[in-house]
Structure formats: C-alpha cells, structure tokens
Amino acid sequence: MSCYPLFYFTMRYKKLFVFVLFLLSFHTIFAQQDGYWDKTRATSEEITVSARDRIVIKTQDFPEGTTEVVFRITLLDKNQQLAGSLVSVLKSIPDPTGISQGSAGAVFILSKISGDDTCKYAIFTSADLAKQYKENGKTNNACLVQDKPVSKDAKRLSIDKSSCMQSNKGNLWFGFESKNWIMNQKIILEVVPWVNKKLSRGWTIENRKSIIDQCKTSNLAQKMSNSDDFCVCILDKIQTKYTFSEFQKLLAVERAKAYKDFGNSCFGESNLSTAVYEDLRKQAAALANQGKHGEAIQKLTTIINDGKATALDYNNLGYSYLVTKQYAKALKFLKEGQKKDETELLIQLNLAHAYLLNDNFSLAKNIYKQYQTQNVTDSLSWTQKIKQDFEAFKKAGIVSKDFERVLKIVD
C-alpha cells in the first residue's frame, strides 16, 4: 500500500500549522506596536501581614506614558510558592484589551494557587490617603475597594475607566487588612504597568495643546485664516524628533529655531503656501470693498514682502494707496507691477491716475490716450473704467480739475 496519501495529508497540515503560527506571531508583533508591558518597573512584593493588622504597599514608580496597570493579589499558605510571576503570564497577552475580552483573560492572569487565608484590600492614589487608611481603616477615599475577603484577585485598571489611573501621579498605594485573627498572612502583590509608546515620550494632550497654542502665535500662522493643519504639522515634527522633556530643556533660542525650521518645512511641503496667499488676497479684496483700504494695504504688503506677489497684487496695492492719498507710494508699487506685466491695462490705468494725482498731467495724458480704444477687461472699456475710478476718487474726497480734461481726451 502506498504511503503517499498519508504523507500528503501530513505535509498539508504541517504547512497549515506553520501558517497559523505565522498569523499568531504576526498579530502579536503588530498588536504590541502601540505599547508594552514594562517588566522593569513592575512591582512584586511578598508581604507578611500580622494578624488583625493593616499594611500599605507603594508600587514602583510608573513610567511616563502608563495608561493602565494589571495587578494580581495572591494569599499563600506557609511555604507555598507562586507557579509563575504575573510578568511571565503577561508575555502571552499582547495588549491589555486581551484581559478584558471576557472572563477567560481574567482567569488566565489569576494565580493557579492560593492559600486558605483571605484579606480585604483598597487602592489609593496618594500617600496621605493611604496613611489615613492605615490609621483608621476607612476606605471612603479609595479609588477601588474590595470589601469581601478574597484569597486571590486580579484586575486591570485603565485610564479611561478607572479613577485610580485618571488621578494617578505615578504610583498607587495598596492597603491590606488581614482577616486572620490568629496567624500572620503571606500576601504576594504584583503590579505591571502598560506603557503607551507615544505617550511615553511625554506628549500628553495638555503638552500637545501647548505646542499648538504657541504655534498659532507665530508670524506664519497669523497669515492664515485657519492655521490648524499647519500647527498640527509642526507638532508632528517636534514629537518625532524630541520627547517633551527634551524639547522643554532646549534653550529659548533653540526652541524658537525649531519652530521656525519646522514651520518653513511644513509651509513648503504642502499646498499651505498657495492657500495662505490666496486667502490674504480675498481678505484684502473684502477689506477694500468695505472701504478699509489701510487694512487691505497690510494684507497686500505681506504678500509682496514674502515675494509671492503677482502683477495684480501690485495693482490692487497701488489703487489702495491712491484712494488713501498716498500718491508717491502708489506710483512706486504700480511701476513694480508694470515690470511684471506691461500688458495689464489695470496697472497702466492706475499708473496714469498716479501721475495725474502727482501733478504730472503730461505723462498721465500719454497713457490715457494710448489705450483709449481698448478694454481693461472682456466687458469693461478703458473709458468706462476711467469714469468709474474718478467717481470713486470723488467719494474718497479726492478732487482734481484735471478729471474733466482727461474725460474730454478719451470721449
């Protein structure tokens, strides 16, 4: 009889077994990317509690970024030893949610053995509260109380569900009360913190918000109507390069340089630059339409100073200078705009206005006559635009005897 079918069957299931192992290991590796059990900062205490006595145990300092802890309490008879430490058990659980997914996880971390003795316990978030408990046995201020005597217990305390972690400052205090009226008790307390890798760098919500708030006061951010994306980009770069404590230890000039460098990077590697200047143009146009030409000048000047101006930006700035009777400045910026685009008739027209209002009728006349047969836009003639501008100048309190002379030339 051939052994091929049996061999084929065996090899097939062997491959399936290897594949399942791969999936399990793959899941474990990627599940642990968000955090880890910190065995170096785990608490493991063997406590002897005298009959009818109370005792308080402070945990090891929790590392920065601790978002939850798992603890296990086991009471042992004389000479009993734990079958396995809590740290070794948790190696098989890739993240704390595995403990909360039904009763199986909780049972898994419970000690396999315990003695006949029982005790009550309570958990406190400060040394003062724990001291009061030791003195009077009151548990009013405890964040967790186990009033029913137990021989073993295990729980997970998470920052999103337990007040023990929400108000935690880096330690917990476990208070035990012996229920043995005759003999001493042997209690094993084990506490293992779970550390969120991102939070372990010190970037709490408050710390991240402080960076965002400071970013919003920067010159670049203030040019934007909405600087949220820009400031989040800077925050991401700072978080990647520094822990919060490292960033805080930088000199003020070093922090300022970091903001500037990261800001320039964020500004350049996205569409923020284009969006910012388009937004400034819209703001300037709206302000000009409201007659707030002084504020419009500030917006347009920012665009020009940053080297992002178009010919029309110079034109709009020149016009705002004209209606605010700053004729020399109007002439300066309109000439700059003319260099960018000599074919833009709106600039040529405002340049003519600037010469006229600067008492240079001869130069103004030449420009007015040169383009009188053309349109400044697809639907607005050169002459119509002159008439509109002169009416706008009169409303702004700008009057010239030469307005009528110009109109006679172009009519």
Side-chain angles (χ1 to χ4, degrees), residues 94-203:
D95 65 74
T97 58
I99 298 168
S100 299
Q101 293 170 350
S103 58
V107 171
F108 187 56
I109 65 171
L110 278 171
S111 175
K112 294 180 181 178
I113 60 171
S114 66
D116 295 326
D117 286 343
T118 59
C119 74
K120 294 180 179 181
Y121 69 88
I123 304 176
F124 302 89
T125 56
S126 74
D128 289 340
L129 296 177
K131 182 180 178 183
Q132 293 172 22
Y133 162 79
K134 187 174 181 181
E135 292 171 352
N136 57 33
K138 293 183 179 179
T139 58
N140 299 349
N141 296 315
C143 61
L144 187 148
V145 178
Q146 176 61 48
D147 266 335
K148 182 180 178 181
V150 293
S151 62
K152 59 184 178 182
D153 202 3
K155 285 185 173 65
R156 169 196 173 206
L157 306 176
S158 65
I159 200 167
D160 57 336
K161 293 182 179 179
S162 172
S163 61
C164 294
M165 297 304 295
Q166 290 163 0
S167 57
N168 182 259
K169 303 300 181 184
N171 299 93
L172 290 175
W173 285 258
F174 283 74
F176 297 95
E177 181 179 348
S178 171
K179 299 313 293 178
N180 191 323
W181 285 72
I182 302 173
M183 305 292 290
N184 293 345
Q185 288 184 322
K186 181 181 176 183
I187 301 175
I188 306 294
L189 170 65
E190 299 168 283
V191 185
V192 184
W194 171 265
V195 181
N196 180 290
K197 285 184 178 178
K198 190 172 183 179
L199 293 180
S200 69
R201 294 175 60 80
W203 291 107

